[in-house]
Amino acid sequence: MSRLILALDVYERRKAVEIARKTAEYLWAIKVNWPLIMVSGLGIIRELRGATGLPVIADLKLADIPNTNRLIARKVFEAGADYVIVHGFTGRDSVEAVMGLGDTIIVVEMSHPGAEEFIQPATDGLIRMANELEPFGVVAPATRPGRISYIRSKLKPGIRILTPGVGAQGGKAGEALKAGADYVIVGRSIYESDDPGESAAGIHWGIHKVLDGLR
Ligand code: XMP
């Protein structure tokens, strides 16, 4: 099984489906974010599922009061999303509102430099909350493998770590996996390449090699 998640951050429906088809055999799942959903509409979720048969993760990073989180997540799950990503910093009630509707992934730390300002100091509390709520997984930064190891050491076994920041943001898939990540999220390095299928294949087989070495 693949451990690679494609972050499909393009605007247009046709381009998204074309890249998804070319890369599908190397992916575990496809992650959609606001750029694609805003321009192509929520229907893109079913279309991607239909074109590839893969799970779709809706990375909306929901960060609102429980009722609004629930109103949004309901429509996204109804549209066919398998997982929804929520921010944890808004607190347990806002996260539980989404978890009550379907499989949820909680952001406990982010991959960009600014994450050190506010999110990183809150990570310990966010991990504690994740351990209590037991979501499908958490998001942790591939740009800081040391933080993945730290998060893995505190996180309940069975809660997966999904890690963005590989490629365009400078993180390395192998280091993230060695640090304890379960799935690697890659966007621009695949969808901006001349041959997305070949790029996805390269990353996928690279991941396999690293995992074989860890066994
Ligand atoms: P790139 O093009 O940088 O795309 O490979 C990365 C994708 O992942 C999202 N992203 C994050 N999501 N926490 C998250 O929940 C993070 O720290 C984080 N960093 C990147 C980004 O929006 C894009 O879709």
Side-chain angles (χ1 to χ4, degrees):
M1 195 184 78
S2 173
R3 304 294 195 95
L4 177 59
I5 298 168
L6 170 63
L8 195 45
D9 296 329
V10 297
Y11 288 124
E12 296 129 3
R13 201 196 119 256
R14 226 175 27 195
K15 188 170 180 194
V17 173
E18 187 189 321
I19 295 171
R21 282 212 172 99
K22 284 184 180 157
T23 54
E25 66 183 292
Y26 307 110
L27 306 178
W28 171 68
I30 295 173
K31 184 175 83 65
V32 297
N33 201 329
W34 289 107
L36 182 58
I37 290 181
M38 277 194 309
V39 176
S40 300
L42 271 180
I44 190 68
I45 294 176
R46 280 230 160 76
E47 201 167 349
L48 290 171
R49 277 189 120 275
T52 64
L54 296 174
V56 174
I57 301 170
D59 181 7
L60 303 180
K61 292 193 188 68
L62 295 177
D64 217 310
I65 61 170
N67 187 57
T68 310
N69 268 4
R70 193 178 300 113
L71 289 170
I72 298 169
R74 180 177 296 140
K75 287 296 156 194
V76 177
F77 282 122
E78 278 174 15
D82 298 276
Y83 306 91
V84 169
I85 299 183
V86 297
H87 263 303
F89 67 77
T90 45
R92 170 190 293 262
D93 51 356
S94 293
V95 174
E96 280 181 323
V98 179
M99 288 189 71
L101 298 171
D103 279 328
T104 302
I105 297 161
I106 303 174
V107 179
V108 298
E109 194 164 322
M110 296 187 75
S111 56
H112 63 307
E116 290 180 11
E117 280 184 79
F118 303 113
I119 294 217
Q120 201 182 83
T123 296
D124 282 352
L126 294 170
I127 296 169
R128 271 197 301 278
M129 181 176 69
N131 284 340
E132 285 162 23
L133 297 180
E134 299 191 14
F136 171 83
V138 300
V139 181
T143 45
R144 297 184 205 90
R147 295 295 296 168
I148 297 180
S149 315
Y150 176 78
I151 291 164
R152 182 77 276 167
S153 74
K154 303 275 175 195
L155 200 62
K156 245 188 200 169
I159 303 177
R160 291 91 171 164
I161 295 181
L162 293 78
T163 186
V166 167
Q169 294 183 66
K172 305 258 183 296
E175 285 180 27
L177 293 162
K178 284 179 198 159
D182 298 286
Y183 296 99
V184 172
I185 300 171
V186 182
R188 284 164 285 180
S189 297
I190 295 175
Y191 68 74
E192 283 183 351
S193 88
D194 292 337
D195 188 339
E198 195 180 282
S199 302
I203 298 167
H204 167 66
W205 292 118
I207 288 173
H208 255 258
K209 225 166 118 184
V210 172
L211 291 175
D212 280 347
L214 291 177
R215 271 185 204 120

